[in-house]
Each structure stands twice: as C-alpha cells, then as structure tokens.
Amino acid sequence: MSKVKVAINGYGTIGKRVADAVSLQDDMEVIGISKTRPNFETQLAHQKGYPVYTLADKMDAMKKAGIPVAGSIEDMVTNADIVVDCTPGGVGEENKSLYEKAGVKAIWQGGEEHELAGVSFNASSNYEEAFGKDFVRVVSCNTTGLCRVLHPLDQQFGVNKVRVTLMRRAADPGDIKKGPINAIVPNPIKLPSHHGPDVKTIMPHINIVSTAVKLPTTLMHVHTLNIELGKECSAADVRSIFERQSRIRLIGQGINSTAEIIELGRDLGRPRNDMWENCVWDDSITMHEGELYFFQAIHQESIVIPENIDAIRAMTELEKDGARSVAKTNKAMGF
Ligand code: NAD
C-alpha cells in the first residue's frame, strides 16, 4: 500500500517535530515542509531530505541562500493527501480556503479555535470522532495533558468535578521574542481561563474550571489538579489506572522539578530531550476527604506530536482502532 503523503505547513517548534515523527512511521511520508525564510532550520530541513516549499515571493531569497525550492506552498498542498498546519495560532485559520480549494485534508493545532475544524482531537479520548474527517484540530499541549488523565479516570470512576491551576512556561526555549520574563503573570486575569472550555470540546460532559499563571521558565508547564470522582477509590487505584496509560509516565526517584524531567529526557536519549508523555508525580497522587489531588508536568514542545500522528491515521482511515494507532505511533517514535 502506498504511504499517505503528508505536508507540513509551518516548520517551527511543532512543525519540525511532526515532520520527524511522520518520517519514522511506515505508513506515511513527508512530501514537503514550508518555510517563510531561509535560516538554519530551513537548511537543516533540506539536509534531512525534506523538500522545501515557500511563499511565492520568497523563492528567490531561498535560492540565493543555496536552498533548492520544490515549489510554492500551493504546490505543496496540491501534492499532499493531508496537510498538518503548524503555523502560529491565528495564521492557520487563513489557510482553510487554500486547503478547501486543493481538496486536501488538514489538521490544525491548539492555537486555532475549535470551530475552524469542527472536531477537536485527543487520541485516547475521541480517536473515532476523527475517523475519515477532512478537518481536525489537535488540541493544545495543556488540553492534551488534561484529556489524557481525565478520560481514563472518567471511564473508570466517572468525573463529577475538576478544578485545575495551570502554571505555564512563559515562552519556548528557542523563543527570544516572548521571554524570559521576570514576573508571575495571572493569565488571563479574568477567570476562568479558556483551558476548561477547551477540554469540553473533547469531553463536553466534564464539569471543569481552570485558572492559569505564566511563570519565568521555558521548560514545561505544571498542573495542580483537584478532581471529585463519581465512585469511591484509593490513590493506589488511580495510580494503577495511570500505570496502564502508555502516554502517562509516573515520575519519582528524586525527580522534584521540571528541570530534572528535562534531564531525564536527555538521559533517555530523546530527540531534543522531548517528553511526549504526561509526567505525573507518583508521590503527589493523594485522596483527601474523598477528592483526588496530583501534580503533573507537560512538555509543551512535544506532547502533541504523537497526537498529530494518530490524527493523520484516523483522518486518512489508515487505522480504525485508536488503541492500535497509539501503540504503532509509540513504537515508531521510541516511547
Ligand atoms: P512557531 O512560531 O514555533 O512555528 C511556526 C512556524 O510557522 C514558524 O516557522 C513561522 O515562520 C511559520 N509561519 C508563519 N507564518 C506562516 C505562513 N503563512 N505559512 C507558512 N509558515 C508560516 O509556533 P509553534 O510553537 O510551533 O506553534 C504552532 C501551533 O502549534 C500553534 O497553533 C500553537 O498554538 C500550537 N502549539 C504550540 C505549542 C508550543 O508550546 N510551542 C504546544 C502545542 C501547540
């Protein structure tokens, strides 16, 4: 069977990781990436063998920098079965007419609104909803992290109520425009934050309210969760559910911070020290007066990457069974 042809529109933090993850799968291939200017990332993409496409008015600049251009972004989209749009939040929306005109399927990221695609996606929570769809949005890093823990708890015990505080990294490590900041910023000040409603785009029945602050760090986000479950259970019951989730990693053994989680990623030999799993502090899992509490850390740069691969598989009907797709993606990426 021929491989599904995937184009990556926007080759930044998320786009370059999606491209590398696609190229590790045996049922899909990268037919092109788009860059808006020649820089080290463009050069590296070319060296990796990804055909480079660009905006019509940037072709000369690319050629002058010694980067062969395969064509315009319109050409790339036309050659693909599916486009993974990894442009900055808000920009992806402008590309919808381009994808519609080319008759190509498209995945957007969490920076876009749910309504743009009509289906929001998390592999373990609603894989089947994306099956055969033309447009899907893979939810943000924080929403992905919340869905991964809430869905299995909801299946097992029912979830009556969730209250979560998100402590967010201010910027990504390579970002010199937004950070570092020397401040703690309630963001947004007007409560609650958008993260709760975003979880509801995947699990509409969950009663969830979220608040968020930005902190002077670039490494990861940390969530403090407080959950009222529908049935009585112990911390050990919760732990054993999390242990069975391939995209949740229970952490301990002297890991007391996000810095040490990133060090673990390095020691594991992960590409770009990526931590694709939710990192739940084992010792934090506590039942207090019938309510569940725990901390988890979310690696914003990488947690949505396996979800994009599963979304491609669902939308192009390569695999009907979500659990099988997740296992295949994990194996190919080296979880
Ligand atoms: P980024 O800024 O790192 O990368 C975006 C890339 O798109 C850049 O290379 C930029 O030059 C390019 N670009 C800009 N306009 C373009 C256009 N018109 N056509 C083609 N390329 C264009 O952004 P990112 O962090 O990778 O975010 C991408 C999406 O993923 C956003 O929706 C964001 O909300 C979401 N997301 C980001 C993170 C994160 O923490 N970085 C986590 C989860 C989801």
Side-chain angles (χ1 to χ4, degrees):
M1 206 177 78
S2 64
K3 294 183 179 185
V4 164
K5 296 183 176 67
V6 184
I8 316 289
N9 196 13
Y11 191 77
T13 304
I14 301 297
K16 60 188 171 186
R17 286 173 169 81
V18 172
D20 289 354
V22 167
S23 65
L24 290 170
Q25 314 298 317
D26 64 10
D27 50 359
M28 53 187 85
E29 63 182 330
V30 178
I31 60 101
I33 64 102
S34 77
K35 279 299 287 179
T36 51
R37 64 196 168 100
N39 67 0
F40 70 98
E41 286 172 321
T42 323
Q43 189 64 47
L44 282 172
H46 168 56
Q47 281 172 16
K48 283 184 181 198
Y50 301 141
V52 175
Y53 292 80
T54 192
L55 300 167
D57 61 349
K58 293 287 158 51
M59 297 218 187
D60 286 345
M62 289 284 186
K63 283 176 198 158
K64 248 187 224 160
I67 297 164
V69 178
S72 68
I73 293 178
E74 285 77 6
D75 295 334
M76 176 179 81
V77 165
T78 310
N79 295 339
D81 297 318
I82 185 162
V83 180
V84 185
D85 190 304
C86 302
T87 58
V91 175
E93 183 183 353
E94 295 163 15
N95 293 327
K96 187 171 187 179
S97 56
L98 174 68
Y99 306 146
E100 282 173 334
K101 200 168 142 209
V104 68
K105 289 176 185 274
I107 295 174
W108 286 278
Q109 307 303 312
E112 307 301 330
E113 299 292 326
H114 166 78
E115 289 68 28
L116 179 65
V119 177
S120 288
F121 179 84
N122 170 253
S124 59
S125 311
N126 69 340
Y127 182 93
E128 58 293 338
E129 253 190 79
F131 192 76
K133 290 286 185 324
D134 288 337
F135 296 134
V136 164
R137 177 184 75 129
V138 170
V139 289
S140 74
C141 47
N142 282 310
T143 308
T144 298
L146 289 170
C147 289
R148 283 191 189 162
V149 290
L150 293 177
H151 181 72
L153 290 173
D154 190 39
Q155 287 214 307
Q156 193 73 27
F157 308 117
V159 166
N160 291 343
K161 191 167 117 180
V162 183
R163 299 295 177 255
V164 55
T165 300
L166 300 99
M167 289 158 277
R168 300 167 59 199
R169 61 88 182 101
D172 287 338
D175 188 349
I176 58 168
K177 289 183 195 145
K178 289 190 219 147
I181 56 169
N182 180 21
I184 298 172
V185 186
N187 180 247
I189 290 178
K190 206 164 180 284
L191 296 176
S193 75
H194 72 275
H195 304 91
D198 207 31
V199 168
K200 284 169 167 284
T201 63
I202 291 187
M203 290 182 280
H205 61 287
I206 299 281
N207 170 355
I208 175 168
V209 175
S210 57
T211 61
V213 293
K214 277 201 289 191
L215 298 176
T217 177
T218 61
L219 298 178
M220 297 180 91
H221 305 297
V222 170
H223 300 170
T224 310
L225 282 116
N226 166 217
I227 304 174
E228 199 183 289
L229 296 166
K231 283 188 204 145
E232 224 172 89
C233 69
S234 66
D237 296 331
V238 171
R239 193 169 285 120
S240 90
I241 287 174
F242 286 171
E243 272 168 355
R244 292 201 294 275
Q245 310 303 312
S246 64
R247 291 182 183 169
I248 295 178
R249 175 183 282 264
L250 291 178
I251 52 164
Q253 296 185 313
I255 295 180
N256 296 316
S257 68
T258 52
E260 288 152 314
I261 296 174
I262 294 299
E263 194 63 12
L264 172 67
R266 289 195 185 102
D267 289 347
L268 287 170
R270 291 283 179 89
R272 303 181 176 96
N273 56 250
D274 285 351
M275 195 54 75
W276 304 299
E277 309 96 320
N278 291 30
C279 293
V280 175
W281 270 280
D282 197 350
D283 282 347
S284 74
I285 302 173
T286 303
M287 293 300 300
H288 180 73
E289 295 184 353
E291 292 182 23
L292 169 65
Y293 293 81
F294 63 91
F295 286 124
Q296 65 172 352
I298 303 297
H299 187 222
Q300 76 282 353
E301 297 175 283
S302 67
I303 187 174
V304 300
I305 307 308
E307 309 297 323
N308 273 275
I309 302 301
D310 295 320
I312 293 169
R313 232 177 243 121
M315 293 166 71
T316 57
E317 304 186 18
L318 281 170
E319 175 58 68
K320 202 159 192 173
D321 183 82
R324 275 216 292 270
S325 176
V326 166
K328 187 173 169 69
T329 303
N330 291 357
K331 189 163 177 234
M333 288 178 71
F335 270 50

